[in-house]
Amino acid sequence: MYFEQECRKFLRPRRLEYQMFDLGPERLSLANGTLFKHEISIINRQGHQLKCSFFQINPLSDCCIIYCHGFNGCQVEGVKYAHIAAQYNLNFCTFDFQGCGHSQGDLITFGYLEQNDITCIILDIKKRFQQNQFILWGRSLGATTIQLKKQPYVSGYVLDSCFTDLNKACVKMIQKSTSLPKLIIKSVLYLLKGKIESQGNFKFEDIKIQRADSSVPTLYICSDQDTLIKSKNTIGLYQQHNGLRDLIKIQGEHNDSRSVQLINQICCWCKERFQINRQYSCHESSPIEIRKKYQHLAGRSSLIRTPSDIISKYDLNKQNLNHCQTQSTSVFKYNNQHIIQPKQLYFQESPQKIFGQQTQFLQQKMNQQIGNSIKFIRKPIFD
């Protein structure tokens, strides 16, 4: 009986109750426009209703921040940030994960099922409000959930106090509420683990971040005073991240409120990411879309030839390609033809030996190692 009760504390924490008044006014006048609130319900993959608030700025914008609350939290946690995001001409969405707040559902799975809730939110908001770019902003459990699955149409992550190992996070949670020694806590958790996994239908190993997602620009936030989720979790992910990354260290405990200055820094970072993504790797001129659009012109085993306007755009901004979302993209000339493609498809008609990854010394290596007699291997480009 004791173990059953303890399992329920993990899988069914007390819901945070709130009133509709707590979600803010239906309409709010700002210096740069008017902020409208839309209360909607979205059905997730388990058939549960998720309660969601979408704050839309007028003049209209197609960029949206989606806030993912923490363990034992609800969407009210992010409502107070909506008007700040609106000042940067950004729409804002906050919602209750299943089993939290006013959303349906009986259990919390620490991100295992919640990761699909985020997918449903993105797809519904994109269709309903014509949003094209998203940044996922998560805190604690929300930050960890964001990293468990690659989400569509996402331009960046904001990860505030995320944990990388559920087992260690649970030990810390029990330590915060009891005075038991750590060794005893680990023993109790070992006994509870099997029941939690069977009732929640997930494995603790499923909630583990092995490595940071370097393909998505990420802003990391942590505090050295956080005794629940140590800052070394966030710093470790930051050091592993090989792409665009930023780190902000703040003061305060795990559940302390975030300052207005920090929220402004986050919104400014999101605004910059949206602008860079639109300028250098917009949906219409991304390499994948170009391939699909001009597939009938190129043929399955031919070089990809891009329109002159896209060529000139990428020629003028080659030096900035490392600062856009598709930072693994290469643009170069081959036989007086411009080619734009990912680096792993460096040549579609390629020599048998290729040395290096930089275009500037590719020709030198070819001359030194291969000479004038070059044999080309034809490879399919759309597989």
Side-chain angles (χ1 to χ4, degrees), residues 53-69:
S53 299
F54 181 77
F55 297 85
Q56 187 174 32
I57 186 65
N58 190 9
L60 299 179
S61 169
D62 65 346
C63 301
C64 178
I65 299 174
I66 297 181
Y67 185 85
C68 306
H69 64 76

Side-chain angles (χ1 to χ4, degrees), residues 202-217:
F202 71 97
K203 299 291 184 182
F204 270 51
E205 288 70 24
D206 296 329
I207 319 298
K208 194 170 185 178
I209 310 301
Q210 300 288 354
R211 191 167 182 83
D213 185 358
S214 298
S215 64
V216 181

Side-chain angles (χ1 to χ4, degrees), residues 128-155:
R128 195 186 301 241
F129 298 103
Q130 292 77 50
Q131 301 298 288
N132 292 325
Q133 295 189 72
F134 297 88
I135 283 182
L136 300 179
W137 174 0
R139 183 168 177 181
S140 188
L141 175 63
T144 301
T145 304
I146 287 171
Q147 300 173 87
L148 294 177
K149 179 181 178 181
K150 184 80 171 179
Q151 302 289 352
Y153 312 111
V154 172
S155 303

Side-chain angles (χ1 to χ4, degrees), residues 89-103:
N89 200 36
L90 301 177
N91 297 321
F92 193 88
C93 175
T94 180
F95 67 99
D96 295 330
F97 280 118
Q98 63 172 1
C100 301
H102 290 178
S103 290

